[in-house]
Amino acid sequence: MSDQPDVLVVGAGFAGMYALHRLRSQRLNVKVLEAGGDVGGTWYWNRYPGARCDVPSLEYSYGFSPELEQEWDWPEVFSAQTDILRYANHVADRFDLRRDMQFNTRVVAIEYVEEAQRWRLTTEAGECLQAPFVVMATGCLSVPNKPRIDGAERFQGAVYHTATWPKEPVDLAGKRVGIIGTGSSGVQAIPELARQAGHLTVFQRSPVYTVPANRKPMRAAVQQEFRDHYREIRALQQANAGGVSAFRPFRNKPDDAVARGARALPRLLDLTQEQRHEVMAQYGLGALLGFRDIYSDAEANEIANELYRETVRGMIQDPAVAERLLPKDYGLGCKRQVLDRDFHATFNRDNVTLVDLAETPIESITERGIRTSAAQHDLDVLVYATGFDAMTGALLKANIRGRGGRPLADKWRYGPVTYLGLQMADFPNLFTVTGPGSPSVLCNMLVAIEQHVNWIADCIDHVHANGLGTIEPRPESEETWIAHVNEVAQGTMYTAPSCNSWYLGANIPGKPRIFMPYVGGYPRYREHCEREAAGGYPGFVLQQAL
Ligand code: NA7
């Protein structure tokens, strides 16, 4: 491992792993610092029972190595955390990544040393490292949110957070388990915890729209079809708003997929009520997501919401429980879509109780469990499935200080300000992979990560090739970009006044309410990045080397 790195990469998830591989190929000395004990990032930490990806694995995989694509077998269409982590480990072994990675190393301060055109990073253990370039590959969902609840420290039972679930198996047999939160993590964990625990009490603050996940095992022939068409599939991903190809093995070939991608989705408003019911009866809850007008038209959205509610009512035995599980004050498309396996059916089990915190809020946590305004719920185990300080959390936690010692927290006091989610003015040579203002979590993360890392690597190459010292955005580029990010988010369900999501920072008390990811589509975004690079970075300030 080099003591004089050209680039320090923070984080060894999929972004940090590829950054190391790609930058190494440019003969740069790279060192990766990772807080966890090994590679994998979000898939290293999120080991809770039921953890899975909501993008098909043949798409949620690296596209930079045709050999890797051909040799890796995915056991299921949508992979479990264990298989994704196995894949990350395979990639680390195959490309010999660990020799330039330092694990169990949390970066606690990152300061710009102006007179040296370098960054100085300090670790929790007090180690100091310096490099001219820093790549923050710290992930969008990597700082767990653990709400402050009165009395939390008094609880005598075991406490877990889904985002920091232990490596060792947790024995829940016969235990009284409570879980707070019904987002993606809670919805995935609840059916598994109910199977394992003696009794499960679900503490729900907001009901969730969730649709059944595809749970098919991978067929060898399907995998082979992908392998045979991978180059075209990767090209299709580049042309798709969410970075996923529309390729369906056997049913069509890539050319058909292009045509299908260009064809607009149907509109719910164009169907009669009878036709809508037929669609629901035939295809179930997931069918609702295929109508384009539900994401932008309030009337279509409310029709879809009501169809959703009608269908769920038919799935739950106890009508009072069903009513509590139904979202009524926000619409489909406001939050990230949750996919489940047996979530609704779990509430028909004898050993599961739903507590609606909107009716009976938590008053405190006691030695024995959770006390709501209506009852004391005795628990042996308490699970927080309360999400993350998303998108900005990890960057702010790293205590980054730019020119003049200016803290990033100060620059971002009214919300994140970046150019393209890649860089910030006054923070030269510091790059963020899938930062706020880029498509990031609205895109297939692997596609977004590779595009960002490639752009950053080319940018560093440009600085070196031209004998320059630093690059950073012009303040006016940031202003124009952030205005555009906000503009394209308006009029979508994401920013409806009734919507409170982690995309908006609404899950963290005091966080500015700003829609953080770029909703204008991955291809449009990518073209913008490419124009900057091809034009010699007109939106950036380039300074001579000292
Ligand atoms: P989410 O989607 O932010 O869900 C967190 C859940 O925790 C959600 O139901 C919250 O209710 C609930 N929550 C948060 N704070 C509290 C308090 N103080 N009291 C009660 N309930 C609370 O996080 P996930 O980990 O499930 O998923 C994050 C992403 O990871 C997901 O979208 C995928 O992209 C992968 P709320 O809705 O805020 O009322």
Side-chain angles (χ1 to χ4, degrees):
M1 199 171 328
S2 170
D3 287 335
Q4 295 287 319
D6 301 301
V7 187
L8 283 165
V9 176
V10 186
F14 281 121
M17 292 168 69
Y18 179 54
L20 169 59
H21 177 71
R22 170 67 212 258
L23 293 165
R24 254 188 201 167
S25 74
Q26 290 174 207
R27 302 192 166 281
L28 293 169
N29 286 322
V30 186
K31 186 165 180 169
V32 180
L33 306 173
E34 164 59 51
D38 207 339
V39 296
T42 202
W43 302 106
Y44 173 86
W45 294 104
N46 284 266
R47 297 163 184 260
Y48 60 87
R52 268 179 195 277
C53 188
D54 56 6
V55 178
S57 294
L58 287 164
E59 307 249 14
Y60 190 90
S61 55
Y62 284 124
F64 71 83
S65 164
E67 298 77 23
L68 178 64
E69 287 169 346
Q70 294 301 318
E71 75 200 12
W72 183 258
D73 288 329
W74 290 106
E76 292 179 271
V77 175
F78 284 77
S79 285
Q81 171 269 336
T82 41
D83 289 320
I84 302 174
L85 189 58
R86 269 197 316 114
Y87 174 74
N89 277 286
H90 171 74
V91 173
D93 292 341
R94 191 189 199 291
F95 298 100
D96 191 16
L97 298 181
R98 288 192 185 84
R99 77 180 144 88
D100 288 319
M101 290 179 164
Q102 187 174 318
F103 297 107
N104 303 307
T105 302
R106 185 173 291 281
V107 174
V108 293
I110 302 180
E111 294 156 280
Y112 188 56
V113 186
E114 205 146 355
E115 57 281 10
Q117 286 184 335
R118 297 172 81 77
W119 287 92
R120 184 170 56 219
L121 279 68
T122 311
T123 71
E124 207 166 32
E127 191 184 356
C128 265
L129 300 106
Q130 294 204 18
F133 293 92
V134 171
V135 176
M136 298 300 290
T138 40
C140 295
L141 295 162
S142 47
V143 175
N145 169 42
K146 194 165 173 200
R148 282 171 209 273
I149 301 178
D150 185 42
E153 66 297 338
R154 291 207 301 261
F155 181 60
Q156 295 298 305
V159 178
Y160 303 104
H161 194 296
T162 46
T164 49
W165 197 263
K167 274 185 177 175
E168 307 71 37
V170 177
D171 183 9
L172 299 174
K175 302 257 171 69
R176 295 165 301 175
V177 178
I179 182 167
I180 304 177
T182 50
S184 289
S185 305
V187 164
Q188 289 185 335
I190 284 163
E192 288 299 322
L193 297 180
R195 277 180 208 118
Q196 296 176 22
H199 190 91
L200 180 70
T201 307
V202 177
F203 296 89
Q204 170 196 274
R205 184 165 71 178
S206 306
V208 58
Y209 289 100
T210 168
V211 306
N214 174 329
R215 39 208 299 180
K216 291 189 188 132
M218 180 66 72
R219 285 190 292 134
V222 168
Q223 183 150 286
Q224 193 54 50
E225 272 286 287
F226 263 78
R227 284 182 177 157
D228 292 346
H229 293 99
Y230 246 131
R231 297 284 55 78
E232 298 117 292
I233 287 164
R234 297 300 182 194
L236 284 168
Q237 289 177 334
Q238 294 300 313
N240 177 269
V244 285
S245 81
F247 182 65
R248 296 286 175 274
F250 310 118
R251 268 185 259 157
N252 49 40
K253 293 284 182 263
D255 284 351
D256 305 323
V258 173
R260 217 151 50 95
R263 219 173 33 230
L265 293 168
R267 283 163 30 103
L268 192 57
L269 287 177
D270 291 341
L271 268 56
T272 64
Q273 193 63 0
E274 199 186 351
Q275 288 171 322
R276 291 172 191 148
H277 282 127
E278 277 167 23
V279 169
M280 294 306 291
Q282 195 173 351
Y283 300 106
L285 290 172
L288 290 170
L289 308 179
F291 293 99
R292 75 175 188 277
D293 49 351
I294 73 157
Y295 302 103
S296 53
D297 184 302
E299 187 190 343
N301 187 262
E302 189 41 36
I303 292 171
N305 302 338
E306 193 45 41
L307 288 166
Y308 178 92
R309 293 190 279 259
E310 278 174 20
T311 310
V312 172
R313 282 188 189 106
M315 298 162 80
I316 311 283
Q317 284 156 10
D318 181 338
V321 172
E323 284 315 302
R324 290 188 187 110
L325 285 171
L326 298 176
K328 293 185 183 124
D329 55 6
Y330 72 98
L332 271 161
C334 138
K335 302 189 185 191
R336 187 179 178 96
Q337 186 54 54
V338 175
L339 306 182
D340 75 85
R341 298 181 165 216
D342 305 330
F343 176 70
H344 292 112
T346 297
F347 292 90
N348 293 332
R349 292 175 66 109
D350 292 339
N351 72 333
V352 175
T353 306
L354 176 67
V355 175
D356 182 352
L357 299 179
E359 278 171 18
T360 57
I362 296 178
E363 285 189 340
S364 64
I365 296 182
T366 66
E367 287 82 358
R368 292 188 291 126
I370 291 185
R371 184 186 302 139
T372 67
S373 59
Q376 164 74 29
H377 299 270
D378 287 350
L379 304 169
D380 304 308
V381 177
L382 176 55
V383 177
Y384 288 88
T386 43
F388 301 88
D389 184 354
M391 305 205 62
T392 53
L395 294 167
L396 290 171
K397 212 175 162 192
N399 289 315
I400 306 174
R401 287 174 180 271
R403 285 191 197 281
R406 185 181 185 194
L408 183 61
D410 178 55
K411 183 179 169 88
W412 284 7
R413 63 190 179 282
Y414 303 119
V417 178
T418 73
Y419 185 38
L420 300 168
L422 274 164
Q423 265 213 306
M424 285 95 62
D426 284 336
F427 296 77
N429 290 5
L430 183 135
F431 298 92
T432 52
V433 182
T434 65
S438 75
S440 61
V441 289
L442 299 182
C443 184
N444 177 352
M445 283 305 290
L446 273 278
V447 169
I449 282 170
E450 286 190 65
Q451 184 256 339
H452 261 199
V453 168
N454 289 335
W455 191 94
I456 292 166
D458 289 342
C459 180
I460 294 176
D461 196 39
H462 178 88
V463 170
H464 283 152
N466 291 281
L468 298 164
T470 63
I471 181 164
E472 68 193 285
R474 297 179 190 282
E476 56 271 28
S477 307
E478 287 184 330
E479 254 170 60
T480 315
W481 181 250
I482 291 303
H484 175 60
V485 170
N486 287 325
E487 185 194 312
V488 288
Q490 296 314 311
T492 66
M493 285 301 149
Y494 290 127
T495 55
S498 59
C499 187
N500 287 309
S501 68
W502 58 258
Y503 293 140
L504 285 159
N507 61 329
I508 304 293
K511 194 163 169 171
R513 186 184 163 94
I514 301 279
F515 189 77
M516 294 182 282
Y518 176 62
V519 76
Y522 169 69
R524 188 168 164 197
Y525 170 81
R526 181 173 48 77
E527 280 159 24
H528 202 103
C529 295
E530 284 167 5
R531 262 202 310 279
E532 275 291 349
Y537 303 93
F540 292 78
V541 181
L542 293 136
Q543 281 192 343
Q544 294 303 315
L546 291 175

